[in-house]
Amino acid sequence: MKKKSLVMTVAALAAFTSIASAAPATSWEQGQWQVDLGASDPKAKFDGLESDTKWNFNGGLGYALSDKWALRYDYHGLKTEAGDFKTAGDENEVNLMYSLGRNAALFAGWARINNDFDGTVKNADVVNNVAQFGVATKFDLAKNLAFYADGALGTKKTSLWEAGLAYTINKDWDINAGYRYVDTKLNDDNNIKYRGFLVGLSYRFGGHKAAPAPVSAPVIEEPVAPVVETPAPAH
């Protein structure tokens, strides 16, 4: 029975990870792509009212324009279950990123946050188009394990942050788990907040710099000692 439960748990985790938002990239190579798949369980809250959590799909796509500049698109589902209310919204982001080095990057762009109450709150649906600026960081804790965090401030009284742990499987794959928080304007009196845990899986391809061709060592010819003929003795 225990063996069967263990097999079922491993299978469930494998299936979950296969759809698993992504740890922020802080450095990259020109021409490199990054594909992110994720899942999160946000809960929404405003004016003392609160929804229940619901698992959402997250996804992202990034492309390195150069070794310093990159362009990213990200999608976050903001659907929640009915508590005091429920939501059926989402968030779309497009950001231009600039790498400051291995541990940090700056980003600026646009976010469209759709606050859809799925008919549970009358005349409350609001779509915010937000200009934002932020920073992403990543620091090694151990071999293949890093702490990451990113945060941004934007128009429409908007702020967001995310923090968690990322594990590097190899040069092309990582997985991560963390916590995400979004706070944005709903009306003149209230902001709405979305917060919850997330998991993610990232895959990178292209852009890898070719290893330099090995330089062969120069062939050094050893000098040949001159042949000295010894004259025959005179008789």
Side-chain angles (χ1 to χ4, degrees):
M1 183 66 181
K2 289 183 178 180
K3 185 176 180 181
K4 184 178 180 182
S5 298
L6 179 62
V7 171
M8 292 178 67
T9 301
V10 171
L13 287 172
F16 185 69
T17 304
S18 68
I19 62 165
S21 159
T26 52
S27 62
W28 45 80
E29 297 172 354
Q30 182 175 1
Q32 186 178 64
W33 291 87
Q34 178 168 314
V35 179
D36 306 310
L37 297 174
S40 63
D41 65 336
K43 176 183 288 189
K45 183 177 182 180
F46 83 98
D47 195 24
L49 303 175
E50 195 168 44
S51 71
D52 288 334
T53 61
K54 180 179 181 178
W55 283 102
N56 284 251
F57 168 77
N58 295 330
L61 181 65
Y63 178 72
L65 304 171
S66 70
D67 286 355
K68 288 292 185 181
W69 294 94
L71 189 64
R72 274 201 60 84
Y73 165 77
D74 290 284
Y75 171 86
H76 301 276
L78 298 177
K79 299 175 177 63
T80 63
E81 292 285 5
D84 297 320
F85 62 92
K86 71 175 181 176
T87 60
D90 53 32
E91 176 188 353
N92 292 271
E93 291 185 53
V94 177
N95 289 300
L96 183 64
M97 304 188 69
Y98 179 77
S99 175
L100 298 176
R102 186 170 180 271
N103 299 117
L106 302 176
F107 64 90
W110 165 84
R112 180 185 184 274
I113 304 174
N114 176 22
N115 303 293
D116 184 341
F117 285 85
D118 201 25
T120 57
V121 181
K122 299 298 183 183
N123 303 316
D125 296 354
V126 173
V127 175
N128 287 340
N129 288 291
V130 177
Q132 63 183 13
F133 176 81
V135 60
T137 59
K138 187 183 292 184
F139 299 97
D140 292 336
L141 298 177
K143 183 179 180 181
N144 297 338
L145 182 66
F147 168 79
Y148 75 89
D150 62 62
L153 296 176
T155 56
K156 304 288 186 179
K157 300 180 181 179
T158 301
S159 62
L160 66 87
W161 62 265
E162 180 183 331
L165 297 174
Y167 181 78
T168 301
I169 301 171
N170 58 40
K171 66 180 182 178
D172 296 326
W173 292 90
D174 2 271
I175 56 175
N176 71 285
Y179 188 86
R180 191 169 191 269
Y181 175 92
V182 179
D183 187 344
T184 193
K185 181 179 179 180
L186 186 61
N187 53 43
D188 292 337
D189 300 318
N190 296 290
N191 269 29
I192 185 169
K193 301 171 178 63
Y194 302 91
R195 61 196 188 279
F197 293 98
L198 55 83
V199 290
L201 174 69
S202 300
Y203 173 64
R204 292 172 295 277
F205 60 94
H208 296 297
K209 295 174 181 175
V215 179
S216 56
V219 178
I220 301 175
E221 296 183 1
E222 295 185 4
V224 179
V227 178
V228 178
E229 294 183 3
T230 305
H235 293 282

